[in-house]
Amino acid sequence: ENATDGNVYLYELGESQFVARDTSAIAQDGTFRFEGSVEEPTFYRLGLDQQNAVMLVLENKDISLAADASDLATTAKVEGSEDTKLLQEWFRLNEELKKKEAELTPKFNEATAAGDEAKVEELREEYMGYRKKLRDFIAEHPGSLASIFGILSFVNPVEEFAFADSMVTLYTEKLPDSKYTAMLNEQLNALRRTAVGAMAPDITLPT
């Protein structure tokens, strides 16, 4: 919708950045098409430019996408990829957390400056409740690449080693052949060798 010319670009998520893979011209009726195959389900970014884009999980089956060209990320409707639908839910929850963080941070700073410890704790608990929604999402979908994306983008494996390690153990069971499972195992191996036990970090709202 709202696109009758130009190109759509497809980027694959590499180890540290997106890599350009393909380009498709937009027809006058606003449609475009990519054809090809992947070795395994893989994260891709489809966009009109670097800012206006949407994340997808592509695998070897037909996937359709409909969106408003003015805002692909928030208007995209995908059929044929359950992992992509879950990924979109992840981004919705993450955006919800960002909005809540922006709302609570000035209140948190004000309460801290005033020495109002009860208010500080109340705000911290409210914020942590929103973070818990994302952790719960990760835990509830161990067979999905959307969960792996959550671990990669949201969880600090040093501060939350026990949680990250437990999820990677599940990925090893449910997604044993995924390159992302291998990547996470490699990242955690050094921590596994040194970890005696995982202690919960002190939590404060970002400032």
Side-chain angles (χ1 to χ4, degrees), residues 172-195:
T172 302
E173 173 188 334
K174 295 181 178 296
L175 299 166
D177 300 322
S178 172
K179 58 187 174 185
Y180 304 112
T181 298
M183 182 191 306
L184 283 168
N185 268 308
E186 183 177 348
Q187 290 178 3
L188 289 182
N189 276 339
L191 295 175
R192 288 173 177 143
R193 287 193 293 268
T194 58

Short mmCIF file of all heavy atoms in Angstrom, two decimals, residues 172-195:
data_model
loop_
_atom_site.label_atom_id
_atom_site.label_comp_id
_atom_site.label_asym_id
_atom_site.label_seq_id
_atom_site.Cartn_x
_atom_site.Cartn_y
_atom_site.Cartn_z
N THR A 172 19.05 -25.88 22.40
CA THR A 172 19.87 -27.01 21.97
C THR A 172 19.02 -28.26 21.79
O THR A 172 19.28 -29.09 20.91
CB THR A 172 20.99 -27.28 22.99
OG1 THR A 172 21.79 -26.08 23.13
CG2 THR A 172 21.89 -28.42 22.55
N GLU A 173 17.96 -28.36 22.60
CA GLU A 173 17.04 -29.50 22.50
C GLU A 173 16.04 -29.31 21.37
O GLU A 173 15.78 -30.24 20.59
CB GLU A 173 16.29 -29.66 23.82
CG GLU A 173 15.19 -30.70 23.80
CD GLU A 173 14.35 -30.69 25.07
OE1 GLU A 173 14.86 -30.26 26.12
OE2 GLU A 173 13.17 -31.09 24.99
N LYS A 174 15.47 -28.11 21.25
CA LYS A 174 14.37 -27.89 20.31
C LYS A 174 14.82 -27.35 18.95
O LYS A 174 14.14 -27.53 17.95
CB LYS A 174 13.36 -26.92 20.94
CG LYS A 174 12.67 -27.49 22.18
CD LYS A 174 11.67 -26.52 22.77
CE LYS A 174 10.96 -27.11 23.97
NZ LYS A 174 10.14 -28.29 23.60
N LEU A 175 15.95 -26.65 18.91
CA LEU A 175 16.48 -26.09 17.66
C LEU A 175 17.96 -26.46 17.54
O LEU A 175 18.83 -25.59 17.42
CB LEU A 175 16.30 -24.56 17.66
CG LEU A 175 14.87 -24.03 17.74
CD1 LEU A 175 14.86 -22.54 18.07
CD2 LEU A 175 14.13 -24.28 16.43
N PRO A 176 18.26 -27.76 17.56
CA PRO A 176 19.66 -28.19 17.64
C PRO A 176 20.50 -27.83 16.42
O PRO A 176 21.72 -27.71 16.53
CB PRO A 176 19.54 -29.72 17.79
CG PRO A 176 18.23 -30.06 17.16
CD PRO A 176 17.32 -28.90 17.49
N ASP A 177 19.87 -27.69 15.26
CA ASP A 177 20.62 -27.44 14.03
C ASP A 177 20.68 -25.97 13.66
O ASP A 177 21.24 -25.62 12.62
CB ASP A 177 20.00 -28.23 12.87
CG ASP A 177 20.01 -29.73 13.13
OD1 ASP A 177 21.01 -30.22 13.70
OD2 ASP A 177 19.03 -30.41 12.76
N SER A 178 20.12 -25.11 14.48
CA SER A 178 20.10 -23.69 14.16
C SER A 178 21.48 -23.06 14.39
O SER A 178 22.13 -23.28 15.41
CB SER A 178 19.07 -22.96 15.02
OG SER A 178 19.17 -21.55 14.84
N LYS A 179 21.89 -22.23 13.44
CA LYS A 179 23.17 -21.52 13.59
C LYS A 179 23.11 -20.55 14.77
O LYS A 179 24.15 -20.23 15.37
CB LYS A 179 23.52 -20.77 12.31
CG LYS A 179 22.48 -19.76 11.85
CD LYS A 179 22.85 -19.20 10.49
CE LYS A 179 21.76 -18.30 9.93
NZ LYS A 179 22.07 -17.85 8.55
N TYR A 180 21.89 -20.10 15.11
CA TYR A 180 21.75 -19.18 16.22
C TYR A 180 21.93 -19.91 17.56
O TYR A 180 22.47 -19.34 18.51
CB TYR A 180 20.40 -18.47 16.16
CG TYR A 180 20.19 -17.75 14.85
CD1 TYR A 180 19.23 -18.18 13.94
CD2 TYR A 180 20.98 -16.66 14.50
CE1 TYR A 180 19.06 -17.54 12.72
CE2 TYR A 180 20.81 -16.00 13.29
CZ TYR A 180 19.85 -16.44 12.40
OH TYR A 180 19.68 -15.82 11.20
N THR A 181 21.50 -21.16 17.63
CA THR A 181 21.76 -21.97 18.81
C THR A 181 23.26 -22.16 18.99
O THR A 181 23.80 -22.03 20.10
CB THR A 181 21.06 -23.34 18.70
OG1 THR A 181 19.65 -23.15 18.61
CG2 THR A 181 21.37 -24.21 19.91
N ALA A 182 23.94 -22.46 17.90
CA ALA A 182 25.40 -22.63 17.95
C ALA A 182 26.08 -21.33 18.38
O ALA A 182 27.03 -21.34 19.18
CB ALA A 182 25.92 -23.09 16.59
N MET A 183 25.60 -20.21 17.87
CA MET A 183 26.17 -18.91 18.21
C MET A 183 26.03 -18.63 19.70
O MET A 183 26.99 -18.21 20.36
CB MET A 183 25.47 -17.81 17.40
CG MET A 183 26.01 -16.40 17.62
SD MET A 183 24.93 -15.13 16.89
CE MET A 183 24.82 -15.73 15.21
N LEU A 184 24.85 -18.91 20.24
CA LEU A 184 24.62 -18.66 21.66
C LEU A 184 25.44 -19.60 22.54
O LEU A 184 25.98 -19.20 23.57
CB LEU A 184 23.13 -18.80 21.98
CG LEU A 184 22.26 -17.60 21.56
CD1 LEU A 184 20.78 -17.96 21.65
CD2 LEU A 184 22.56 -16.40 22.44
N ASN A 185 25.53 -20.86 22.14
CA ASN A 185 26.35 -21.80 22.90
C ASN A 185 27.80 -21.34 22.94
O ASN A 185 28.47 -21.42 23.99
CB ASN A 185 26.25 -23.20 22.30
CG ASN A 185 25.15 -24.03 22.94
OD1 ASN A 185 25.09 -24.16 24.16
ND2 ASN A 185 24.28 -24.59 22.12
N GLU A 186 28.29 -20.84 21.83
CA GLU A 186 29.67 -20.36 21.78
C GLU A 186 29.86 -19.17 22.71
O GLU A 186 30.87 -19.08 23.43
CB GLU A 186 30.03 -19.98 20.35
CG GLU A 186 31.47 -19.54 20.17
CD GLU A 186 31.82 -19.24 18.73
OE1 GLU A 186 31.03 -19.60 17.84
OE2 GLU A 186 32.89 -18.64 18.50
N GLN A 187 28.87 -18.26 22.73
CA GLN A 187 28.96 -17.09 23.58
C GLN A 187 28.96 -17.46 25.06
O GLN A 187 29.63 -16.83 25.89
CB GLN A 187 27.80 -16.13 23.29
CG GLN A 187 27.89 -15.43 21.94
CD GLN A 187 26.70 -14.54 21.68
OE1 GLN A 187 25.82 -14.38 22.53
NE2 GLN A 187 26.65 -13.94 20.50
N LEU A 188 28.19 -18.50 25.41
CA LEU A 188 28.03 -18.87 26.81
C LEU A 188 29.11 -19.81 27.32
O LEU A 188 29.27 -19.96 28.54
CB LEU A 188 26.66 -19.50 27.04
CG LEU A 188 25.45 -18.57 26.96
CD1 LEU A 188 24.17 -19.32 27.25
CD2 LEU A 188 25.59 -17.40 27.92
N ASN A 189 29.83 -20.45 26.42
CA ASN A 189 30.80 -21.45 26.87
C ASN A 189 31.82 -20.89 27.84
O ASN A 189 32.16 -21.53 28.85
CB ASN A 189 31.50 -22.09 25.67
CG ASN A 189 30.68 -23.23 25.08
OD1 ASN A 189 29.81 -23.80 25.74
ND2 ASN A 189 30.96 -23.57 23.82
N ALA A 190 32.33 -19.70 27.56
CA ALA A 190 33.32 -19.10 28.46
C ALA A 190 32.70 -18.81 29.82
O ALA A 190 33.34 -19.02 30.86
CB ALA A 190 33.86 -17.81 27.85
N LEU A 191 31.44 -18.35 29.83
CA LEU A 191 30.77 -18.08 31.09
C LEU A 191 30.50 -19.37 31.85
O LEU A 191 30.58 -19.41 33.08
CB LEU A 191 29.46 -17.33 30.83
CG LEU A 191 29.58 -15.93 30.23
CD1 LEU A 191 28.21 -15.36 29.92
CD2 LEU A 191 30.33 -15.01 31.18
N ARG A 192 30.17 -20.43 31.14
CA ARG A 192 29.92 -21.71 31.79
C ARG A 192 31.16 -22.22 32.51
O ARG A 192 31.07 -22.84 33.56
CB ARG A 192 29.45 -22.73 30.77
CG ARG A 192 28.04 -22.51 30.25
CD ARG A 192 27.71 -23.46 29.12
NE ARG A 192 26.33 -23.31 28.66
CZ ARG A 192 25.95 -23.41 27.39
NH1 ARG A 192 26.86 -23.65 26.44
NH2 ARG A 192 24.70 -23.26 27.06
N ARG A 193 32.32 -21.95 31.94
CA ARG A 193 33.56 -22.44 32.54
C ARG A 193 33.90 -21.70 33.82
O ARG A 193 34.58 -22.24 34.70
CB ARG A 193 34.71 -22.31 31.55
CG ARG A 193 34.67 -23.31 30.40
CD ARG A 193 35.97 -23.35 29.63
NE ARG A 193 36.20 -22.09 28.90
CZ ARG A 193 35.81 -21.90 27.63
NH1 ARG A 193 35.18 -22.85 26.98
NH2 ARG A 193 36.04 -20.74 27.03
N THR A 194 33.43 -20.47 33.93
CA THR A 194 33.81 -19.65 35.09
C THR A 194 32.68 -19.48 36.10
O THR A 194 32.94 -19.09 37.23
CB THR A 194 34.27 -18.26 34.64
OG1 THR A 194 33.21 -17.63 33.91
CG2 THR A 194 35.49 -18.37 33.74
N ALA A 195 31.44 -19.79 35.69
CA ALA A 195 30.30 -19.54 36.58
C ALA A 195 30.25 -20.56 37.71
O ALA A 195 30.24 -21.76 37.49
CB ALA A 195 29.00 -19.57 35.79
#
